[in-house]
Amino acid sequence: MVRHIPVDAAIVTEPTELDVCIAHKGFVWLEVETLGQAAHGSRFFEGIDANMRMGRFLAGLDRLEQELRARRPHPLVGPPSLHASLLRGGTELSTYAASCRLGVERRTVPGETEASVQAEIEALIEQTASTDPTFRATARCLLARTAFEVSPDAAIVRAVRDVATRHLGRTPAFIGKPFWMDSAILADAGVETVVIGPVGAGAHTSEEWVDLQSLERLATILADAAAEYCG
């Protein structure tokens, strides 16, 4: 939709406790597959265990995860991170696993790209293969969404913050969020975007909620910010 409908600016209303969010993380979903050789469990001289090979890759992935969290953090969203989300390998107990698949989620910070994340994983595969001639693996991206960051001096940011200051009796803080939002899609399409939302908690749980009084205040802020921005 944002590619076909021209928009000058946008306000995304994910919960921010009525502070002004100007950055958030993105993510890359990857699938890594290690390849083995199926054989009967008694024939160790024929079988190559793809699950064991994945274990060697996972050891390197764990080191990469620690290195990511030790990097200089983004001032608003913190350091990048990753985790091993899904693991599937083998067919039965008495057969060497011919394949093992690992789902990885990599959380990105502003400035990182899908290509840079893919390169890290490919480098890890090459490092693992250099110490084990039987190690074979592939990696592919399943889905990627970019991180988001907007200048605090952008016109829509100034309009929202000025109006919110008047309604709240305080200057909202500039904040970042560790999760992804639609603001990144808008920003990637060239739309000047900011995030402000009500007080709330429990995202993706059985008790997800927002505070109704803050929701009413937000509605007033949105209306006045739109009027101020549009002049």
Side-chain angles (χ1 to χ4, degrees):
M1 184 173 67
V2 297
R3 287 196 298 268
H4 300 286
I5 301 176
V7 176
D8 294 322
I11 304 171
V12 172
T13 56
E14 294 274 7
T16 67
E17 293 72 47
L18 296 176
D19 284 324
V20 177
C21 175
I22 58 172
H24 66 65
K25 287 185 176 181
F27 66 87
V28 180
W29 288 348
L30 300 135
E31 183 181 77
V32 177
E33 182 179 15
T34 51
L35 304 174
Q37 176 64 53
H40 189 270
S42 65
R43 301 181 68 81
F44 65 88
F45 45 89
E46 292 181 355
I48 298 176
D49 192 337
N51 292 344
M52 290 286 195
R53 271 66 187 172
M54 183 61 79
R56 295 164 195 173
F57 176 81
L58 280 167
L61 194 69
D62 183 50
R63 291 190 294 272
L64 175 59
E65 195 276 333
Q66 294 176 49
E67 188 270 323
L68 291 175
R69 288 191 285 114
R71 290 181 185 176
R72 183 177 181 179
H74 183 278
L76 292 176
V77 303
S81 64
L82 66 79
H83 63 278
S85 310
L86 299 169
L87 188 62
R88 300 181 298 274
T91 55
E92 60 175 348
L93 282 171
S94 62
T95 301
Y96 277 76
S99 171
C100 184
R101 294 183 179 183
L102 170 69
V104 177
E105 182 179 72
R106 169 71 152 77
R107 291 285 166 165
T108 58
V109 300
E112 292 187 305
T113 65
E114 175 189 340
S116 67
V117 169
Q118 182 87 20
E120 286 177 343
I121 298 299
E122 294 288 354
L124 185 56
I125 289 174
E126 291 178 7
Q127 291 168 15
T128 310
S130 69
T131 61
D132 179 2
T134 68
F135 181 84
R136 293 184 298 146
T138 60
R140 66 188 182 103
C141 177
L142 302 177
L143 179 67
R145 290 289 181 262
T146 56
F148 163 77
E149 188 168 30
V150 63
S151 169
D153 295 322
I156 190 62
V157 176
R158 293 200 308 270
V160 167
R161 199 183 197 207
D162 290 347
V163 168
T165 297
R166 294 199 298 269
H167 283 285
L168 300 176
R170 65 174 178 86
T171 301
F174 285 135
I175 64 169
K177 289 291 187 179
F179 49 84
W180 181 86
M181 308 181 213
D182 291 336
S183 39
I185 292 178
L186 291 156
D188 286 346
V191 180
E192 195 175 78
T193 305
V194 68
V195 184
I196 186 171
V199 176
H204 296 254
T205 69
S206 59
E207 295 185 4
E208 187 171 355
W209 60 272
V210 295
D211 174 74
L212 292 180
Q213 183 179 15
S214 72
L215 191 62
E216 292 175 358
R217 300 176 84 179
L218 173 67
T220 304
I221 291 169
L222 294 175
D224 288 355
E228 180 163 319
Y229 179 84
C230 294

